[in-house]
Coordinates of all heavy atoms in Angstrom, one line a residue:
M1 N 25.4 7.9 -5.6 CA 24.2 8.7 -6.0 C 23.3 7.9 -6.8 O 22.1 7.9 -6.6 CB 24.7 10.0 -6.7 CG 23.6 10.8 -7.1 SD 22.9 11.6 -5.6 CE 22.0 12.9 -6.2
K2 N 23.8 7.2 -7.8 CA 23.0 6.3 -8.6 C 22.2 5.3 -7.8 O 21.0 5.0 -8.1 CB 23.8 5.7 -9.7 CG 23.0 5.0 -10.8 CD 23.9 4.4 -11.9 CE 23.0 3.8 -13.0 NZ 23.9 3.3 -14.1
K3 N 22.9 4.7 -6.9 CA 22.2 3.7 -6.0 C 21.0 4.3 -5.2 O 20.0 3.7 -5.0 CB 23.2 3.0 -5.1 CG 24.1 2.1 -5.7 CD 25.1 1.4 -4.8 CE 26.1 0.6 -5.5 NZ 27.0 -0.1 -4.6
I4 N 21.3 5.5 -4.7 CA 20.2 6.3 -3.9 C 19.0 6.4 -4.8 O 17.9 6.2 -4.4 CB 20.8 7.6 -3.4 CG1 21.8 7.2 -2.3 CG2 19.7 8.4 -2.8 CD1 22.5 8.4 -1.8
L5 N 19.2 7.0 -6.1 CA 18.1 7.3 -7.0 C 17.3 5.9 -7.3 O 16.1 6.0 -7.4 CB 18.6 7.9 -8.2 CG 19.2 9.3 -8.1 CD1 19.7 9.8 -9.4 CD2 18.0 10.2 -7.6
I6 N 18.0 4.8 -7.4 CA 17.3 3.6 -7.7 C 16.6 3.2 -6.5 O 15.5 2.7 -6.7 CB 18.4 2.6 -8.1 CG1 19.0 2.8 -9.5 CG2 17.8 1.1 -8.1 CD1 20.2 2.0 -9.9
A7 N 17.1 3.3 -5.3 CA 16.4 2.9 -4.1 C 15.2 3.8 -3.9 O 14.1 3.2 -3.6 CB 17.3 3.0 -2.9
V8 N 15.2 5.1 -4.2 CA 14.1 5.9 -4.1 C 13.1 5.6 -5.1 O 11.9 5.5 -4.8 CB 14.6 7.4 -4.3 CG1 13.3 8.3 -4.5 CG2 15.3 7.8 -3.1
G9 N 13.5 5.2 -6.3 CA 12.5 4.8 -7.3 C 11.8 3.5 -7.0 O 10.6 3.4 -7.2
L10 N 12.5 2.6 -6.4 CA 11.9 1.4 -6.0 C 10.9 1.6 -4.9 O 9.9 1.0 -4.8 CB 13.0 0.4 -5.6 CG 13.8 -0.1 -6.8 CD1 14.9 -1.0 -6.3 CD2 12.9 -1.0 -7.8
A11 N 11.3 2.4 -3.9 CA 10.4 2.7 -2.8 C 9.1 3.4 -3.3 O 8.0 3.0 -2.9 CB 11.1 3.6 -1.8
V12 N 9.3 4.3 -4.3 CA 8.1 5.0 -4.8 C 7.2 4.1 -5.6 O 5.9 4.0 -5.4 CB 8.4 6.2 -5.7 CG1 7.3 6.7 -6.5 CG2 9.1 7.2 -4.9
A13 N 7.8 3.1 -6.3 CA 7.0 2.1 -7.0 C 6.3 1.1 -6.1 O 5.1 0.8 -6.2 CB 7.9 1.2 -7.9
A14 N 6.9 0.8 -5.0 CA 6.3 -0.1 -3.9 C 5.1 0.6 -3.3 O 4.1 0.0 -3.1 CB 7.4 -0.6 -2.9
V15 N 5.3 1.8 -3.0 CA 4.2 2.6 -2.3 C 3.0 2.7 -3.3 O 1.9 2.5 -3.0 CB 4.6 4.1 -1.9 CG1 3.5 4.9 -1.5 CG2 5.6 3.9 -0.7
S16 N 3.3 3.0 -4.6 CA 2.3 3.1 -5.7 C 1.6 1.9 -5.8 O 0.3 1.8 -5.9 CB 3.0 3.5 -7.0 OG 2.0 3.8 -7.9
Q17 N 2.2 0.7 -5.8 CA 1.6 -0.6 -5.9 C 0.7 -0.9 -4.7 O -0.4 -1.4 -4.9 CB 2.7 -1.7 -6.1 CG 3.2 -1.7 -7.5 CD 4.3 -2.8 -7.7 OE1 4.7 -3.4 -6.7 NE2 4.7 -3.0 -8.9
A18 N 1.2 -0.6 -3.5 CA 0.4 -0.8 -2.3 C -0.9 0.1 -2.4 O -1.9 -0.3 -2.0 CB 1.2 -0.4 -1.0
N19 N -0.7 1.4 -2.8 CA -1.9 2.3 -2.9 C -2.9 1.7 -4.0 O -4.0 1.8 -3.7 CB -1.4 3.6 -3.3 CG -2.5 4.7 -3.3 OD1 -3.3 4.7 -2.4 ND2 -2.7 5.4 -4.3
A20 N -2.3 1.3 -5.0 CA -3.2 0.6 -6.1 C -4.0 -0.5 -5.5 O -5.3 -0.6 -5.7 CB -2.5 0.3 -7.3
A21 N -3.4 -1.3 -4.7 CA -4.1 -2.5 -4.1 C -5.1 -2.0 -3.2 O -6.2 -2.6 -3.0 CB -3.1 -3.4 -3.4
D22 N -4.7 -1.0 -2.3 CA -5.8 -0.4 -1.4 C -6.9 0.2 -2.1 O -8.1 0.0 -1.7 CB -5.2 0.7 -0.5 CG -4.1 0.1 0.5 OD1 -4.0 -1.1 0.7 OD2 -3.3 1.0 1.0
M23 N -6.7 0.9 -3.2 CA -7.8 1.6 -3.9 C -8.6 0.4 -4.7 O -9.9 0.6 -4.7 CB -7.2 2.5 -5.0 CG -6.7 3.8 -4.4 SD -7.8 4.7 -3.4 CE -7.6 4.2 -1.8
M24 N -8.0 -0.6 -5.2 CA -8.8 -1.7 -5.8 C -9.7 -2.3 -4.7 O -10.9 -2.6 -5.0 CB -7.9 -2.7 -6.4 CG -8.6 -3.8 -7.2 SD -9.6 -3.1 -8.5 CE -8.4 -3.2 -9.8
A25 N -9.2 -2.6 -3.6 CA -9.9 -3.1 -2.4 C -11.1 -2.1 -2.0 O -12.2 -2.7 -1.8 CB -9.1 -3.4 -1.2
L26 N -10.9 -0.9 -2.0 CA -11.9 0.1 -1.7 C -13.0 0.1 -2.8 O -14.2 0.1 -2.5 CB -11.4 1.5 -1.5 CG -12.3 2.6 -1.2 CD1 -13.1 2.3 0.1 CD2 -11.6 3.9 -1.2
A27 N -12.6 0.1 -4.0 CA -13.5 0.0 -5.1 C -14.3 -1.3 -5.0 O -15.6 -1.2 -5.3 CB -12.8 0.1 -6.5
K28 N -13.7 -2.3 -4.7 CA -14.5 -3.6 -4.5 C -15.5 -3.5 -3.4 O -16.7 -3.9 -3.4 CB -13.6 -4.8 -4.4 CG -14.2 -6.1 -4.3 CD -13.3 -7.2 -4.2 CE -14.0 -8.5 -4.1 NZ -13.1 -9.7 -4.0
A29 N -15.0 -3.0 -2.3 CA -15.9 -2.8 -1.0 C -17.1 -1.9 -1.3 O -18.1 -2.1 -0.7 CB -15.1 -2.4 0.1
K30 N -16.9 -0.9 -2.1 CA -18.0 0.0 -2.4 C -18.8 -0.4 -3.6 O -19.6 0.5 -4.0 CB -17.4 1.5 -2.5 CG -16.6 1.9 -1.3 CD -17.6 2.0 0.0 CE -16.9 2.4 1.2 NZ -17.9 2.6 2.4
N31 N -18.6 -1.5 -4.1 CA -19.3 -2.0 -5.2 C -19.1 -1.3 -6.6 O -19.9 -1.6 -7.5 CB -20.8 -2.1 -4.9 CG -21.5 -3.2 -5.5 OD1 -21.0 -4.2 -5.8 ND2 -22.8 -3.1 -5.8
C32 N -18.0 -0.6 -6.7 CA -17.7 0.0 -8.0 C -17.4 -1.0 -9.1 O -17.7 -0.7 -10.2 CB -16.5 0.9 -7.7 SG -16.7 2.2 -6.4
L33 N -16.8 -2.1 -8.7 CA -16.5 -3.1 -9.7 C -17.6 -3.9 -10.3 O -17.4 -4.7 -11.1 CB -15.3 -4.0 -9.0 CG -14.1 -3.2 -8.6 CD1 -13.1 -4.2 -8.0 CD2 -13.5 -2.4 -9.6
A34 N -18.7 -3.7 -9.8 CA -20.0 -4.3 -10.3 C -20.2 -3.7 -11.7 O -20.7 -4.4 -12.6 CB -21.2 -4.0 -9.4
C35 N -19.8 -2.4 -11.9 CA -20.1 -1.8 -13.2 C -18.8 -1.3 -14.0 O -18.9 -1.0 -15.1 CB -20.9 -0.5 -13.0 SG -22.6 -0.9 -12.4
H36 N -17.7 -1.2 -13.3 CA -16.4 -0.8 -13.8 C -15.3 -1.8 -13.7 O -15.2 -2.5 -12.7 CB -16.0 0.6 -13.2 CG -17.0 1.7 -13.4 ND1 -17.1 2.4 -14.5 CD2 -18.0 2.1 -12.5 CE1 -18.1 3.3 -14.3 NE2 -18.7 3.2 -13.1
A37 N -14.4 -1.7 -14.6 CA -13.2 -2.5 -14.5 C -11.9 -1.4 -14.8 O -12.1 -0.4 -15.5 CB -13.1 -3.6 -15.5
V38 N -10.8 -1.8 -14.6 CA -9.6 -1.0 -14.8 C -9.4 -0.8 -16.3 O -9.2 0.3 -16.8 CB -8.3 -1.5 -14.2 CG1 -7.1 -0.7 -14.7 CG2 -8.4 -1.4 -12.7
D39 N -9.5 -1.9 -17.0 CA -9.0 -1.8 -18.5 C -10.0 -2.3 -19.5 O -9.7 -2.5 -20.7 CB -7.8 -2.7 -18.6 CG -8.1 -4.1 -18.2 OD1 -9.1 -4.5 -17.6 OD2 -7.1 -5.0 -18.4
K40 N -11.3 -2.5 -19.1 CA -12.3 -2.8 -20.0 C -13.7 -2.3 -19.7 O -14.0 -2.1 -18.5 CB -12.4 -4.4 -20.3 CG -12.9 -5.1 -19.1 CD -12.8 -6.5 -19.2 CE -13.0 -7.3 -18.0 NZ -12.9 -8.7 -18.1
K41 N -14.6 -2.0 -20.7 CA -15.9 -1.6 -20.4 C -16.7 -2.7 -19.9 O -16.7 -3.8 -20.4 CB -16.5 -1.0 -21.7 CG -17.9 -0.5 -21.6 CD -18.5 -0.1 -22.9 CE -19.9 0.5 -22.8 NZ -20.8 0.2 -21.7
L42 N -17.4 -2.5 -18.8 CA -18.5 -3.4 -18.3 C -19.8 -2.7 -18.6 O -20.1 -2.4 -19.7 CB -18.2 -3.7 -16.9 CG -17.0 -4.5 -16.6 CD1 -16.8 -4.6 -15.1 CD2 -16.9 -5.8 -17.3
V43 N -20.5 -2.4 -17.6 CA -21.8 -1.6 -17.7 C -21.3 -0.1 -17.9 O -21.9 0.6 -18.8 CB -22.6 -1.7 -16.4 CG1 -23.8 -0.8 -16.4 CG2 -23.1 -3.1 -16.2
G44 N -20.4 0.3 -17.2 CA -19.8 1.6 -17.3 C -18.4 1.6 -17.9 O -17.9 0.4 -18.2
P45 N -17.8 2.7 -18.3 CA -16.6 2.8 -18.9 C -15.4 2.2 -17.9 O -15.5 2.2 -16.8 CB -16.4 4.3 -19.2 CG -17.1 5.0 -18.1 CD -18.4 4.0 -17.9
S46 N -14.4 1.8 -18.6 CA -13.2 1.5 -17.8 C -12.6 2.6 -17.2 O -12.7 3.8 -17.6 CB -12.1 0.7 -18.8 OG -11.5 1.8 -19.5
Y47 N -11.9 2.3 -16.1 CA -11.2 3.5 -15.4 C -10.2 4.1 -16.3 O -10.0 5.3 -16.2 CB -10.6 2.9 -14.0 CG -11.5 2.6 -13.0 CD1 -11.2 1.6 -12.1 CD2 -12.7 3.2 -12.9 CE1 -12.1 1.3 -11.0 CE2 -13.6 2.8 -11.9 CZ -13.3 1.9 -11.0 OH -14.2 1.5 -10.0
Q48 N -9.5 3.3 -17.1 CA -8.6 4.0 -18.0 C -9.2 4.9 -19.0 O -8.6 6.0 -19.3 CB -7.8 2.9 -18.8 CG -6.8 2.0 -17.8 CD -6.1 0.9 -18.5 OE1 -6.6 0.4 -19.5 NE2 -5.0 0.4 -17.9
D49 N -10.4 4.6 -19.5 CA -11.2 5.4 -20.4 C -11.6 6.6 -19.7 O -11.5 7.8 -20.3 CB -12.4 4.7 -21.0 CG -11.9 3.7 -22.0 OD1 -10.8 3.6 -22.5 OD2 -12.8 2.7 -22.3
V50 N -12.0 6.6 -18.4 CA -12.4 7.7 -17.7 C -11.2 8.7 -17.5 O -11.3 9.9 -17.8 CB -13.0 7.4 -16.3 CG1 -13.2 8.6 -15.4 CG2 -14.2 6.5 -16.5
A51 N -10.0 8.1 -17.2 CA -8.8 8.9 -17.0 C -8.4 9.6 -18.3 O -8.0 10.8 -18.3 CB -7.7 8.0 -16.5
A52 N -8.5 8.9 -19.4 CA -8.2 9.4 -20.7 C -9.1 10.6 -21.1 O -8.7 11.8 -21.6 CB -8.2 8.4 -21.8
K53 N -10.4 10.5 -20.8 CA -11.4 11.5 -21.2 C -11.2 12.7 -20.4 O -11.4 13.9 -20.9 CB -12.8 10.9 -21.0 CG -13.9 11.9 -21.4 CD -15.3 11.2 -21.2 CE -16.3 12.3 -21.7 NZ -17.6 11.5 -22.1
Y54 N -10.8 12.6 -19.1 CA -10.8 13.7 -18.2 C -9.3 14.2 -18.0 O -9.1 15.2 -17.3 CB -11.4 13.4 -16.9 CG -12.9 13.3 -16.9 CD1 -13.5 12.1 -17.2 CD2 -13.7 14.5 -16.8 CE1 -14.9 12.0 -17.4 CE2 -15.0 14.5 -16.9 CZ -15.6 13.2 -17.2 OH -17.1 13.2 -17.3
A55 N -8.4 13.6 -18.7 CA -6.9 14.0 -18.5 C -6.8 15.6 -18.8 O -7.2 16.1 -19.9 CB -6.1 13.2 -19.4
G56 N -6.2 16.3 -17.9 CA -5.9 17.6 -18.1 C -7.1 18.6 -18.1 O -6.8 19.8 -18.4
K57 N -8.3 18.1 -17.8 CA -9.4 19.0 -17.8 C -9.6 19.7 -16.5 O -9.6 19.0 -15.5 CB -10.7 18.2 -18.2 CG -10.7 17.8 -19.6 CD -12.1 17.3 -20.0 CE -12.1 16.9 -21.5 NZ -13.3 16.2 -21.9
P58 N -9.7 21.0 -16.6 CA -10.0 21.7 -15.2 C -11.2 21.3 -14.6 O -12.3 21.1 -15.3 CB -10.0 23.2 -15.7 CG -9.6 23.3 -17.0 CD -9.7 21.9 -17.6
G59 N -11.1 21.1 -13.3 CA -12.4 20.6 -12.6 C -12.7 19.2 -12.7 O -13.8 18.7 -12.2
A60 N -11.9 18.4 -13.3 CA -12.2 17.0 -13.5 C -12.5 16.2 -12.3 O -13.4 15.4 -12.2 CB -11.1 16.3 -14.3
E61 N -11.5 16.5 -11.2 CA -11.7 15.7 -10.0 C -13.0 16.0 -9.4 O -13.8 15.1 -8.9 CB -10.6 16.0 -9.0 CG -10.6 15.3 -7.8 CD -9.4 15.6 -6.9 OE1 -8.4 15.0 -7.1 OE2 -9.7 16.3 -5.8
A62 N -13.4 17.3 -9.3 CA -14.7 17.6 -8.6 C -15.8 17.2 -9.4 O -16.8 16.7 -8.8 CB -14.8 19.2 -8.5
T63 N -15.8 17.1 -10.8 CA -16.9 16.6 -11.6 C -17.0 15.1 -11.3 O -18.2 14.6 -11.2 CB -16.5 16.8 -13.1 OG1 -16.5 18.2 -13.3 CG2 -17.5 16.1 -14.0
L64 N -15.9 14.3 -11.2 CA -16.0 12.9 -11.1 C -16.4 12.6 -9.6 O -17.2 11.6 -9.4 CB -14.7 12.3 -11.4 CG -14.4 12.3 -13.0 CD1 -13.0 11.8 -13.2 CD2 -15.5 11.6 -13.7
V65 N -16.1 13.4 -8.7 CA -16.4 13.1 -7.3 C -17.9 13.3 -7.2 O -18.7 12.5 -6.5 CB -15.7 14.0 -6.3 CG1 -16.3 14.0 -4.9 CG2 -14.2 13.5 -6.1
N66 N -18.4 14.3 -7.8 CA -19.9 14.5 -7.8 C -20.7 13.4 -8.5 O -21.7 13.0 -8.0 CB -20.2 15.9 -8.5 CG -21.6 16.2 -8.4 OD1 -22.2 16.4 -7.3 ND2 -22.3 16.3 -9.5
A67 N -20.1 12.9 -9.6 CA -20.8 11.8 -10.3 C -20.8 10.6 -9.4 O -21.8 9.9 -9.4 CB -19.9 11.5 -11.6
V68 N -19.7 10.2 -8.7 CA -19.7 9.1 -7.8 C -20.7 9.3 -6.7 O -21.5 8.3 -6.4 CB -18.2 8.9 -7.2 CG1 -18.3 7.9 -6.2 CG2 -17.2 8.5 -8.3
L69 N -20.7 10.4 -6.1 CA -21.6 10.7 -4.9 C -23.1 10.8 -5.4 O -24.0 10.2 -4.6 CB -21.2 11.8 -4.1 CG -19.8 11.8 -3.5 CD1 -19.5 13.2 -2.9 CD2 -19.8 10.7 -2.5
H70 N -23.3 11.5 -6.4 CA -24.8 11.9 -6.8 C -25.3 11.2 -8.0 O -26.5 11.3 -8.3 CB -24.8 13.4 -6.8 CG -24.4 14.1 -5.6 ND1 -25.1 14.0 -4.4 CD2 -23.3 14.8 -5.4 CE1 -24.5 14.7 -3.5 NE2 -23.4 15.2 -4.1
G71 N -24.5 10.5 -8.8 CA -24.9 9.9 -10.0 C -24.8 10.9 -11.2 O -24.7 12.0 -10.9
V72 N -24.9 10.4 -12.3 CA -24.9 11.2 -13.5 C -25.4 10.3 -14.7 O -25.4 9.2 -14.7 CB -23.4 11.7 -13.9 CG1 -22.6 10.5 -14.3 CG2 -23.4 12.8 -14.9
S73 N -26.0 11.0 -15.7 CA -26.5 10.4 -16.9 C -26.1 11.1 -18.1 O -25.8 12.3 -18.1 CB -28.0 10.2 -16.9 OG -28.6 11.5 -16.8
G74 N -26.0 10.3 -19.3 CA -25.7 10.9 -20.5 C -24.2 11.2 -20.8 O -24.0 11.7 -21.9
V75 N -23.3 10.9 -20.0 CA -22.0 11.3 -20.3 C -21.3 10.2 -21.1 O -20.5 10.4 -21.9 CB -21.2 11.5 -18.9 CG1 -19.7 11.7 -19.1 CG2 -21.7 12.6 -18.1
W76 N -21.7 8.9 -20.8 CA -21.1 7.8 -21.5 C -22.1 6.9 -22.2 O -21.9 5.8 -22.6 CB -20.3 6.8 -20.5 CG -19.2 7.4 -19.9 CD1 -19.1 8.2 -18.7 CD2 -17.8 7.5 -20.3 NE1 -18.0 8.7 -18.5 CE2 -17.1 8.1 -19.4 CE3 -17.2 7.0 -21.4 CZ2 -15.7 8.4 -19.6 CZ3 -15.9 7.2 -21.6 CH2 -15.1 7.9 -20.7
G77 N -23.2 7.6 -22.6 CA -24.3 6.8 -23.2 C -25.6 6.9 -22.4 O -25.7 7.5 -21.4
P78 N -26.5 6.0 -22.8 CA -27.9 6.0 -22.2 C -27.9 5.4 -20.8 O -28.9 5.7 -20.1 CB -28.7 5.2 -23.1 CG -27.7 4.2 -23.9 CD -26.5 5.0 -24.0
V79 N -27.0 4.6 -20.4 CA -27.1 4.0 -19.1 C -26.5 4.9 -18.0 O -25.4 5.4 -18.0 CB -26.2 2.7 -19.0 CG1 -26.2 2.0 -17.6 CG2 -26.6 1.6 -20.1
P80 N -27.4 5.3 -17.1 CA -26.9 6.3 -16.0 C -26.1 5.6 -14.9 O -26.2 4.5 -14.7 CB -28.2 6.8 -15.4 CG -29.2 5.7 -15.6 CD -28.8 5.0 -16.9
M81 N -25.2 6.5 -14.4 CA -24.5 6.0 -13.2 C -25.3 6.4 -12.0 O -25.6 7.6 -11.8 CB -23.1 6.6 -13.1 CG -22.3 6.3 -11.9 SD -20.6 6.8 -12.0 CE -20.0 6.6 -10.4
P82 N -25.7 5.5 -11.1 CA -26.4 5.8 -10.0 C -25.7 6.5 -8.9 O -24.4 6.4 -8.9 CB -27.1 4.5 -9.5 CG -26.0 3.5 -9.9 CD -25.5 4.0 -11.2
A83 N -26.3 7.2 -8.0 CA -25.7 7.8 -6.8 C -25.1 6.6 -6.0 O -25.7 5.5 -6.0 CB -26.7 8.6 -6.1
N84 N -24.1 6.9 -5.2 CA -23.5 5.9 -4.3 C -23.4 6.4 -3.0 O -22.4 6.8 -2.5 CB -22.1 5.6 -4.9 CG -22.1 4.9 -6.3 OD1 -22.3 3.8 -6.3 ND2 -21.9 5.7 -7.3
P85 N -24.6 6.3 -2.2 CA -24.6 6.9 -0.8 C -23.7 6.1 0.1 O -23.4 6.6 1.2 CB -26.1 6.7 -0.4 CG -26.6 5.7 -1.3 CD -25.8 5.7 -2.6
Q86 N -23.2 4.9 -0.3 CA -22.3 4.1 0.6 C -20.8 4.7 0.5 O -20.0 4.3 1.4 CB -22.4 2.6 0.2 CG -21.6 2.2 -1.0 CD -22.3 2.5 -2.4 OE1 -23.3 3.3 -2.4 NE2 -21.8 2.0 -3.4
V87 N -20.6 5.6 -0.4 CA -19.3 6.2 -0.5 C -19.3 7.6 0.1 O -20.1 8.4 -0.2 CB -18.9 6.3 -2.1 CG1 -17.6 6.9 -2.2 CG2 -19.0 4.9 -2.7
T88 N -18.3 7.8 1.0 CA -18.2 9.0 1.6 C -17.5 10.0 0.7 O -16.8 9.6 -0.3 CB -17.3 9.0 2.9 OG1 -15.9 8.7 2.6 CG2 -17.8 8.0 3.8
P89 N -17.6 11.3 0.9 CA -16.8 12.3 0.0 C -15.4 12.0 0.0 O -14.8 12.2 -1.1 CB -17.2 13.6 0.6 CG -18.6 13.4 1.2 CD -18.5 12.0 1.7
A90 N -14.8 11.7 1.1 CA -13.3 11.4 1.3 C -13.0 10.3 0.5 O -11.9 10.2 -0.3 CB -12.8 11.3 2.6
E91 N -13.8 9.1 0.5 CA -13.5 8.0 -0.3 C -13.6 8.2 -1.7 O -12.9 7.7 -2.6 CB -14.5 6.7 0.1 CG -14.2 6.3 1.5 CD -15.3 5.3 2.0 OE1 -16.5 5.5 1.6 OE2 -15.0 4.5 2.9
A92 N -14.7 9.0 -2.2 CA -14.9 9.4 -3.6 C -13.7 10.1 -4.1 O -13.2 9.7 -5.2 CB -16.2 10.2 -3.7
K93 N -13.1 11.0 -3.3 CA -11.9 11.8 -3.7 C -10.8 10.9 -3.9 O -10.0 11.0 -4.9 CB -11.6 12.9 -2.7 CG -10.5 13.8 -3.2 CD -10.3 14.9 -2.1 CE -9.3 16.0 -2.5 NZ -8.2 15.6 -3.4
E94 N -10.6 9.9 -3.0 CA -9.4 9.0 -3.1 C -9.6 8.1 -4.4 O -8.6 7.9 -5.1 CB -9.4 8.0 -1.9 CG -8.9 8.6 -0.6 CD -8.9 7.6 0.5 OE1 -9.9 7.2 1.0 OE2 -7.7 7.1 0.7
L95 N -10.8 7.6 -4.6 CA -11.1 6.8 -5.7 C -10.8 7.5 -7.1 O -10.2 7.0 -8.0 CB -12.5 6.2 -5.7 CG -12.7 5.1 -4.6 CD1 -14.1 4.8 -4.4 CD2 -11.9 3.7 -5.1
V96 N -11.4 8.7 -7.0 CA -11.2 9.5 -8.4 C -9.8 9.9 -8.6 O -9.3 9.8 -9.8 CB -12.2 10.8 -8.2 CG1 -11.7 11.8 -9.3 CG2 -13.6 10.5 -8.4
T97 N -9.0 10.2 -7.6 CA -7.6 10.5 -7.7 C -6.9 9.3 -8.3 O -6.0 9.5 -9.2 CB -7.0 10.9 -6.4 OG1 -7.6 12.2 -5.9 CG2 -5.5 11.2 -6.5
W98 N -7.1 8.2 -7.7 CA -6.6 7.0 -8.3 C -7.0 6.7 -9.7 O -6.1 6.3 -10.5 CB -7.1 5.7 -7.4 CG -6.7 4.4 -7.8 CD1 -5.5 3.8 -8.1 CD2 -7.6 3.3 -8.1 NE1 -5.6 2.6 -8.5 CE2 -6.9 2.2 -8.5 CE3 -9.0 3.2 -8.1 CZ2 -7.4 1.0 -8.9 CZ3 -9.5 2.0 -8.4 CH2 -8.8 0.9 -8.8
I99 N -8.3 6.8 -10.0 CA -8.7 6.6 -11.4 C -8.1 7.6 -12.3 O -7.6 7.2 -13.4 CB -10.2 6.7 -11.5 CG1 -10.9 5.6 -10.8 CG2 -10.8 6.7 -12.9 CD1 -12.4 5.9 -10.3
L100 N -7.9 8.8 -12.0 CA -7.3 9.8 -12.9 C -5.8 9.5 -13.1 O -5.3 9.9 -14.1 CB -7.6 11.2 -12.4 CG -9.0 11.8 -12.5 CD1 -9.1 13.1 -11.8 CD2 -9.4 11.9 -13.9
S101 N -5.2 8.8 -12.2 CA -3.8 8.5 -12.3 C -3.6 7.4 -13.4 O -2.4 7.1 -13.8 CB -3.3 8.0 -11.0 OG -3.7 6.7 -10.7
M102 N -4.6 6.8 -13.9 CA -4.5 5.7 -14.8 C -4.4 6.2 -16.2 O -4.4 5.3 -17.2 CB -5.8 4.7 -14.7 CG -5.7 4.0 -13.4 SD -7.1 2.9 -13.4 CE -7.3 2.6 -11.7
K103 N -4.3 7.5 -16.6 CA -4.2 7.8 -17.9 C -3.0 7.3 -18.6 O -2.0 7.1 -18.0 CB -4.2 9.4 -18.0 CG -3.0 10.0 -17.5 CD -3.0 11.5 -17.5 CE -1.8 12.0 -17.0 NZ -1.9 13.1 -16.2
K104 N -3.2 6.9 -19.9 CA -2.2 6.2 -20.6 C -1.2 7.2 -21.2 O -1.4 8.3 -21.4 CB -2.9 5.4 -21.8 CG -3.7 4.3 -21.3 CD -4.4 3.6 -22.4 CE -5.3 2.5 -22.0 NZ -6.0 1.9 -23.1

């Protein structure tokens, strides 16, 4: 039984790492990484900071998907986040889900 649990845990970790690599590639392809990084502030906040700010907040996913698609200003200071018409709603949802999973 213990071996099965270890095997399942390793499989979940492998899928999670593959998903993270896929999401990082998507973020790069959609030009998100021009302003954001996983663990440090660039022009915009780090993904980890976004995850921490929105952790457990009702409607966080919808709020962030809307921000990705349509832009937002005043949330993280004076620099606005522009709209991202190159990102589909499905891609925005995937990216936001990934970002919210980064809470510390």
Side-chain angles (χ1 to χ4, degrees):
M1 181 68 164
K2 188 175 182 180
K3 288 181 183 180
I4 292 171
L5 290 176
I6 291 171
V8 168
L10 291 173
V12 168
V15 168
S16 183
Q17 287 177 348
N19 186 47
D22 290 345
M23 289 297 97
M24 186 62 89
L26 180 60
K28 184 177 181 180
K30 298 301 178 174
N31 210 28
C32 304
L33 301 179
C35 295
H36 298 279
V38 170
D39 59 352
K40 63 183 175 189
K41 180 183 180 340
L42 296 177
V43 174
S46 74
Y47 289 153
Q48 290 174 342
D49 287 344
V50 172
K53 181 173 185 162
Y54 288 92
K57 290 191 177 177
E61 183 178 282
T63 297
L64 292 173
V65 166
N66 186 62
V68 169
L69 295 174
H70 305 290
V72 68
S73 63
V75 177
W76 294 92
V79 178
M81 179 171 167
N84 292 279
Q86 77 281 11
V87 180
T88 68
E91 290 168 334
K93 186 175 183 340
E94 285 183 285
L95 288 164
V96 165
T97 299
W98 172 59
I99 292 165
L100 290 174
S101 76
M102 294 183 197
K103 65 183 182 222
K104 294 178 184 179

